[in-house]
Structures are given as C-alpha cells and as structure tokens.
Amino acid sequence: MALAHDTKEMRQVLLHEGSRQLDYEIRNIVKKAEELEALGQKIYWENIGDPILKNATIPDWIKEILHGLVDDDLTYGYCHSKGVLGTREYVAKKNNEKAGVQITADDVLFFNGLGDAIGKLYQFLNPHSRVIGPSPAYSTHSALEAAHSNKEPLTYNLDPENHWYPDLEDLRLKVKYNPSIVGILIINPDNPTGMVYPVEVLTEIVEIAREFNLFLVSDEIYTNIIYNGVETKSLSQVLGDVPGIAMKGISKDTPWPGSRCGWMEFYNRDADPDFNNYCATMENAKMVEVCSTTLPQKALPLIQEHPSFQPYLAQRRQEVSERSKVISSRLEDISYINFNPTNGAFYNTIVFKDGVINNNQFLEIDDAKLKAKAEDWVENVSSPDKRFVYYLLAAKGVCVVPLSSFQSELLGFRITLLEEDIEVLDQTFSKIADAINEFCTSDKEVEAVMS
Ligand SMILES: Cc1ncc(COP(=O)(O)O)c(C=O)c1O
C-alpha cells in the first residue's frame, strides 16, 4: 500500500550554501536545444568544447597504442595515488626541458580530468581565502571557487577593447584592497575568449603575486592549441620563486575528453610551508580516493612521444587557425558587436556594443511551435544576451552560451571553433551574423542610435 507523502521538513538543512553557485549554463542550454530538436529543428551545436562531439577523428596510431594497453593486465589495476610513476616522471621532464622552475615526479598529481582537479583546488582552501580569476570566467573555476567560499566569484576583467588582455590595474587594485585574496588564476590560452596571455602580462601578474605573497594557478589545458603565430610562456617559465600550480590535461589536444585525465604540477612548494601543506592536502585527498584512472595515464607518454604526435598537433592547430579566419570573415565587420579574432583554444566570445541589445528585440520565426517556445523562454529572462541566445536557438537552430553566464557584466555569447566541416562552419556563422543584424535592427530606436 502506498504511503501518503507528508511535507515534514528534513531534520537539518541539507545543502551547503555554496551549492547555489553550481548552475552550469553550458549544459543547461542543451535541454532547450533538445526540446527544439524534438520539434524537428536542426541544431548547430556551438555550446561545448568537446572536439569529439564535433566529429574530430582519432588517428589510427593513437588507437593502436590503446589496443596495446588494453592487452596488458597491468592497465586494469590501481596506480600510485599520485599517478603512474613513469608518467609523472615524463611530465616532470617535459616541464624541466623548458628551463623554468624545475620539478620531480613528486610534484605531479594526477586527477580524473581537470574538472576533478579544479574541484580539489578550491575544496580544501579555507573559505575565507579566495582565488581571483578572469571575467568572463570559465564556470568550472568560478563556480567551484565561489562554492568553497559561500560568496560570489571574485574576478578581474579581461578587456574586449584591448584584445581581451587582462586589465592589470583592475587586478592590482582588487588584490591590494581585498586581503582575503590568496591566489590569482590565469587560464592560458583562455576559455571563453580564446585570448593568449602575452609574456609581459604574465610577468606583471607574477610581480603582483610576489608583492602580495600570493600563489598563482595557471590552467594550461589549451597549451598545445595556440595558432596564428602568437607566443606565450608556461607558468613555470615566468614564475621565478613564487609558489604556483599549473593544471594540464589531455582532453583538448589529443583530444580525449572522455579519458578523464588531467594533472597538477606544483612549483616552488618549498617556498612557503602553508603552500606546501596545501599541496600535500590535495595529495592526501587523492590518496583517500585511492587514485585516478590508470589507462589514460599509461597512454599519455606513448602518445606524446610517438613520432606522429607533433605533426598531428601542428595539423590540428592549422585547422583551428583556418576556422578562426572563416569566423572572422563572417563577423569582423558587424557594427553591433565587438569582435576579437582568437589565437588560442577553440572558443571566441562575441560582445554586443553598449546599448545595442535590449529586452524588446526578437527574431522572426515562421514555425508557430518554435516561435511559442522562444516566446515562452524569453518571458522571464532579464538579461538581453540570454534573450538573443534563445531566439538564435529557436530561429536559426544555433546553440551558443550567453556571456552573462560567464560571470561577466558584458552582454554577448560564446561560440566554438570546433566545426570540422568548413562549409557547415561558414553556414553556422552566416546564420549567427544574420541573427545579430536582424535582432539588433528589430528595435528601431537602437537602429537610430547606431546610424
Ligand atoms: C579552461 C578549462 N579547464 C579545464 C577544463 C576541464 O577539462 P577536463 O576535460 O580535463 O575535465 C576545461 C574544459 O572545457 C577548460 O576549458
């Protein structure tokens, strides 16, 4: 017999207050796109950085390496809690060849993807100790940092008027006047802007960290995806004696996001006992969990030392560079937006100029059911870039992520440079270009301001 549900409250509040911070629009938008797909709308997925979903093919030589590992019984066991020793030695050697801060295998800690590493990075920090990161923000960092502290994320501005480079004055002042800040995050190359930090900017950020006794974190998951001739440096090459953590992984370059394999490299951990304890705590946390997945760790040096790896990476960079040019040619002349070409990673963030979008604008949609969906979604939306994104999805089938979901006061959206088929890419960005123009001109007052 079914018992009637009563509405008694739980004995205590179940959720940590910081759980409010865990909204992830990059995946939320998928639910809306799926509703439209069910109504017959073709969707152009521009919302997530998974090359495999966008039909990247894995070369046979990588598959052969994995076949070999699958045949080896040792692949099926736990590994050392910090990660497979040979692989940690390998990544330490690769870092040391860059002639910056030197490390050993003991300074390397493997995780089940960088997402797992990012979680651990903030989870064990004192809630009053904060890490300031870039805005627009990659939500996994900003949401998890905010969740650890029960507060809103702390950010420094990347400036769309200056190639998305960090506003160093803004960073310095925020660090200076907020004593709770203990660390600075950089994401180089950056998600969501595709910006690559120039070496002089990195050097200045190191100086701020040195002056205020902070540690630095550099998420370098896109380090092998830099193109269009720009140059940067890894954290270990600019850090000097400042404590730092680099975060690296194989999700984007190999690309193998489903491997769930990423790692931290601890630099100068002896420079400060507190920092050393912080690193040791993350190691202990991994020990308590036992270890991270063995197979991808065993594959990593075999893949990266294979003679085809470097030419393969060069070809992938070339392809992303070509896509960046197709996108530029479609968007760079639109007067309603601020467009910065990308040089790294595979995202671009498009910003609407001040005052050009508002909550009166719309896109024409012929299909009554699609139109009803769009109108329903935008009814309670306060941020006009979300409104644009929902209309773009319903009217043109293009699924992007609104910039207001990236801890930014700017209005815009993030796109990816992952579409493998150049014709589909061009078609997608021609739809986006049309949508921007149609949306902005749907309010005659805005048109008058622009002309
Ligand atoms: C900047 C950045 N860091 C970390 C990650 C997470 O990577 P992983 O697949 O290793 O969890 C991503 C994924 O998109 C990312 O963009």
Side-chain angles (χ1 to χ4, degrees):
M1 192 180 66
L3 292 174
H5 290 288
D6 62 28
T7 52
K8 266 197 328 191
E9 282 181 9
M10 299 302 290
R11 192 175 196 190
Q12 296 286 345
V13 173
L14 295 189
L15 282 177
H16 187 288
E17 271 213 41
S19 62
R20 288 178 288 119
Q21 300 290 343
L22 301 181
D23 186 32
Y24 197 48
E25 185 67 31
I26 296 175
R27 292 213 176 247
N28 285 345
I29 190 87
V30 173
K31 292 182 201 146
K32 292 197 161 45
E34 283 170 352
E35 286 177 40
L36 297 179
E37 232 176 3
L39 294 174
Q41 172 70 290
K42 176 174 166 45
I43 304 294
Y44 299 82
W45 297 99
E46 281 299 322
N47 58 305
I48 194 150
D50 182 349
I52 305 296
L53 275 184
K54 296 293 260 183
N55 305 318
T57 47
I58 302 299
D60 286 346
W61 59 267
I62 294 187
K63 290 181 179 164
E64 275 158 27
I65 289 172
L66 291 183
H67 290 159
L69 289 170
V70 166
D71 284 339
D72 178 358
D73 287 354
L74 289 177
T75 306
Y76 296 79
Y78 293 127
C79 60
H80 188 287
S81 65
K82 285 189 187 183
V84 171
L85 177 61
T87 306
R88 285 186 288 126
E89 285 170 345
Y90 173 75
V91 297
K93 178 170 146 277
K94 285 308 230 191
N95 171 73
N96 295 348
E97 282 168 4
K98 292 185 192 151
V101 180
Q102 301 289 294
I103 54 172
T104 70
D106 274 345
D107 301 310
V108 178
L109 181 58
F110 269 85
F111 291 86
N112 292 316
L114 262 199
D116 172 29
I118 294 168
K120 298 281 189 312
L121 182 74
Y122 302 116
Q123 183 182 354
F124 297 106
L125 272 182
N126 174 337
H128 305 292
S129 297
R130 307 293 309 273
V131 175
I132 188 168
S135 163
Y138 171 59
S139 9
T140 303
H141 276 287
S142 58
L144 291 171
E145 197 281 332
H148 109 275
S149 67
N150 281 346
K151 299 229 169 75
E152 293 298 310
L154 282 180
T155 56
Y156 60 92
N157 293 329
L158 303 182
D159 182 1
E161 305 285 341
N162 184 25
H163 316 280
W164 284 120
Y165 294 156
D167 178 343
L168 290 171
E169 194 50 25
D170 179 54
L171 174 62
R172 162 171 280 284
L173 291 176
K174 283 176 176 158
V175 167
K176 183 169 176 185
Y177 293 109
N178 186 345
S180 69
I181 294 176
V182 297
I184 302 172
L185 166 72
I186 59 183
I187 304 177
N188 188 23
D190 184 55
N191 176 4
T193 63
M195 177 270 292
V196 178
Y197 282 71
V199 178
E200 318 78 76
V201 172
L202 292 174
T203 313
E204 286 202 44
I205 294 177
V206 170
E207 282 320 306
I208 296 174
R210 192 192 309 280
E211 184 180 340
F212 294 96
N213 297 326
L214 314 181
F215 65 88
L216 282 173
V217 180
S218 178
D219 182 329
E220 298 179 359
I221 197 160
Y222 297 103
T223 199
N224 283 324
I225 308 173
I226 297 177
Y227 42 88
N228 294 343
V230 301
E231 286 187 5
T232 187
K233 286 196 168 164
S234 307
L235 182 67
S236 65
Q237 293 173 290
V238 292
L239 191 61
D241 56 1
V242 172
I245 299 175
M247 307 184 83
K248 301 182 182 175
I250 60 174
S251 288
K252 310 296 176 173
D253 53 10
T254 307
W256 191 4
S259 66
R260 310 314 301 129
C261 177
W263 69 96
M264 288 186 189
E265 295 173 9
F266 301 131
Y267 303 134
N268 301 321
R269 57 189 284 181
D270 294 337
D272 179 282
D274 237 9
F275 180 69
N276 193 20
N277 281 340
Y278 175 44
C279 302
T281 300
M282 289 189 272
E283 290 169 342
N284 290 342
K286 214 13 112 180
M287 207 183 315
V288 172
E289 262 182 30
V290 181
C291 65
S292 299
T293 38
T294 306
L295 170 69
Q297 292 183 51
K298 281 180 161 265
L300 188 158
L302 299 176
I303 293 173
Q304 297 199 356
E305 282 306 294
H306 191 282
S308 299
F309 186 61
Q310 289 307 332
Y312 168 65
L313 280 184
Q315 184 205 330
R316 295 201 65 228
R317 280 191 287 266
Q318 178 57 27
E319 286 166 2
V320 183
S321 162
E322 276 163 25
R323 291 177 213 149
S324 79
K325 291 185 177 123
V326 171
I327 293 171
S328 292
S329 73
R330 283 287 175 192
L331 301 183
E332 67 193 349
D333 294 329
I334 300 181
S335 57
Y336 301 107
I337 58 171
N338 198 330
F339 178 80
N340 285 290
T342 54
N343 298 312
F346 31 59
Y347 309 95
N348 197 342
T349 292
I350 314 299
V351 181
F352 288 103
K353 288 192 181 151
D354 269 357
V356 304
I357 59 168
N358 63 45
N359 282 327
N360 301 321
Q361 290 160 319
F362 60 91
L363 291 179
E364 296 288 355
I365 305 175
D366 294 334
D367 182 296
K369 284 191 187 147
L370 298 178
K371 187 172 178 186
K373 280 272 175 216
E375 287 174 355
D376 179 41
W377 291 337
V378 300
E379 201 167 279
N380 295 315
V381 155
S382 55
S383 162
D385 60 349
K386 263 196 179 168
R387 186 181 173 92
F388 171 78
V389 164
Y390 293 163
Y391 266 112
L392 175 67
L393 186 57
K396 315 272 182 195
V398 183
C399 181
V400 300
V401 189
L403 183 51
S404 48
S405 312
F406 291 89
Q407 290 302 323
S408 174
E409 285 171 6
L410 301 168
L411 299 174
F413 56 95
R414 186 190 78 169
I415 51 99
T416 74
L417 287 78
L418 287 172
E419 179 53 61
E420 298 269 323
D421 182 327
I422 288 285
E423 263 178 45
V424 177
L425 181 82
D426 191 45
Q427 210 183 345
T428 309
F429 283 86
S430 128
K431 284 173 187 289
I432 293 176
D434 289 348
I436 297 170
N437 287 321
E438 290 165 23
F439 191 79
C440 292
T441 50
S442 68
D443 180 347
K444 298 295 164 216
E445 279 181 29
V446 170
E447 222 186 334
V449 171
M450 290 298 291
S451 55

